[in-house]
Amino acid sequence: MLELRQLKAFVAIAEEGYITRAAERLGMQQPPLTRLLQSLEAELGAVLMERLPRGVRPTTAGLALLEQAREILAQADGLAEVVRRAAKGERGRLAIGFTSSAALHPFVPGVLRLFRETFVGVSVVLEEAGTGELLDALLHQKLDAAFIRSPLSGTQALHDEPILVEPMLLALPTDHPLALDSGLPLPLATLVNESFVLYRRRVGLGLYDAILVACREAGFSPQVVQEAPRMTATLSLVAAGLGVSIVPASMQRLRGDGIVYRELTECRNLVAPLHLATRLGDGSSVLREFRQMVVTAAAADA
C-alpha cells in the first residue's frame, strides 16, 4: 500500500533533481530517502527515476506519477486543514430550530446572521416548529440547538440557557371596543368576559401556562374558545374576530392587517422568555462556538 511519506520523498527527489538535496529539504539522511524511493518503485513495479551522471530525473512512469502525487499530497494537506478547522468549530454542520415567535424577535435572526458571517465554513440548517416538537428533535439528535419560549422542566437529557425576556401584549381585532384607545395600558382583569384564542398547550407550553396563571391571579379564568397550532395562526384567528389573545411583544413585527396591540398592566409576571436548548454532554466544537456567540450577544443586549 502506498504511503504519503513515499510520495513526499518521490516528489522532493523529482523537484530537486538530486537525492542529497531532497534529503536536506526533507530533513533526513540520504540512505533512508533512497530506500523510500526503492520501496515505492518496488510497490509500483516500475522504475521512477533515471540515474544520471549528475543527479536524477523522472522516467516516463515517474512523470505520470509526479502529477498524481502532487494532487494527492495537496488533498492530504487540505484534509488536515479541514480537520483542524472542524476541531476549532470553523467547519461542520449545525441544525438549529426555533418557534415562530422566537424567529420574530430580532435577536434570533441577528445572532444567526452573525454566526453565518463569522463561520462561513459551517453549514447551518434551520427548522421552525412548536416547542414540544423542537425538544423531541433535540432528544433524537435531529437538531443541535433550539430557541424556545419556556425553560425546561423534567427533561434531564437537555439543558437550557436563559437568553432574554420580553413583555406580552394583548392582540385585538381592529373593530373590538378595547382597540379604540390603544395608546393606554389595559389592566388584565378587564378581559374577564373576553373570548380567548390561544396556541395549543403542547405547542406553546410555558407561554400557555403563563397566560392562565396571570389571568387567575387577576381574578378570572380565561374562556378559551379556539386553539391554534402556531402563534402566527393565532393572530389570523384574532384578525378574523374569533377572540383576543396574548402574545410576545415581538409578534408585532408581523404587522398583520386587522390586529391592534395593547400593553397590559397588573400582570407583572406575564412575560415571554427566550431560551437556547441543547443536549447535555454535546460538546461538538461547532455547537460550542454557537452557544458562546449566543450567550455573548445576549449579554451585550442586556
Side-chain angles (χ1 to χ4, degrees), residues 35-54:
R35 287 194 293 271
L36 280 176
L37 175 60
Q38 292 171 343
S39 67
L40 180 60
E41 290 178 324
E43 185 86 27
L44 296 176
V47 176
L48 301 175
M49 286 293 171
E50 179 183 357
R51 277 65 175 176
L52 303 175
R54 297 184 61 184

Side-chain angles (χ1 to χ4, degrees), residues 19-245:
I19 294 181
T20 52
R21 291 179 184 175
E24 292 175 1
R25 170 174 156 179
L26 296 174
M28 60 189 301
Q29 297 297 316
Q30 181 177 336
L33 181 57
T34 300
R35 287 194 293 271
L36 280 176
L37 175 60
Q38 292 171 343
S39 67
L40 180 60
E41 290 178 324
E43 185 86 27
L44 296 176
V47 176
L48 301 175
M49 286 293 171
E50 179 183 357
R51 277 65 175 176
L52 303 175
R54 297 184 61 184
V56 294
R57 68 182 176 190
T59 62
T60 302
L63 289 173
L65 175 62
L66 182 59
E67 182 179 353
Q68 296 297 319
R70 284 171 173 160
E71 291 183 7
I72 292 172
L73 292 175
Q75 290 175 357
D77 289 342
L79 181 61
E81 178 62 19
V82 167
V83 172
R84 283 192 293 269
R85 293 186 63 187
K88 294 179 180 178
E90 298 173 358
R91 290 188 66 88
R93 180 183 182 276
L94 194 67
I96 304 171
F98 48 81
T99 64
S100 57
S101 67
L104 287 170
H105 195 288
F107 177 87
V108 173
V111 76
L112 289 175
R113 186 181 306 111
L114 177 61
F115 184 79
R116 278 178 153 166
E117 292 173 351
T118 305
F119 297 93
V120 294
V122 176
S123 172
V124 178
V125 179
L126 303 176
E127 179 177 336
E128 178 186 338
T131 298
E133 296 165 322
L134 293 175
L135 297 182
D136 184 69
L138 275 174
L139 287 171
H140 290 85
Q141 301 186 16
K142 296 178 181 178
L143 290 176
D144 300 301
F147 290 99
I148 58 175
R149 281 298 194 174
S150 57
L152 300 174
S153 59
T155 309
Q156 297 181 353
L158 302 179
H159 168 76
D160 68 297
E161 195 88 44
I163 303 302
L164 55 85
V165 174
E166 64 173 319
M168 300 275 276
L169 298 178
L170 174 65
L172 301 156
T174 52
D175 59 356
H176 193 286
L178 295 176
L180 299 178
D181 194 6
S182 59
L184 297 176
L186 190 69
L188 181 60
T190 308
L191 308 178
V192 59
N193 295 318
E194 297 295 330
S195 298
F196 278 77
V197 178
L198 298 180
Y199 22 93
R200 294 173 186 161
R201 187 180 184 279
R202 65 179 180 84
V203 175
L205 292 176
L207 294 187
Y208 188 105
D209 293 341
I211 293 171
L212 295 185
V213 170
C215 290
R216 287 166 184 162
E217 289 178 349
F220 70 100
S221 293
Q223 181 184 357
V224 181
V225 296
Q226 184 70 46
E227 292 185 349
R230 292 285 186 272
M231 201 173 296
T232 49
T234 299
L235 293 180
S236 297
L237 295 176
V238 170
L242 272 70
V244 304
S245 191

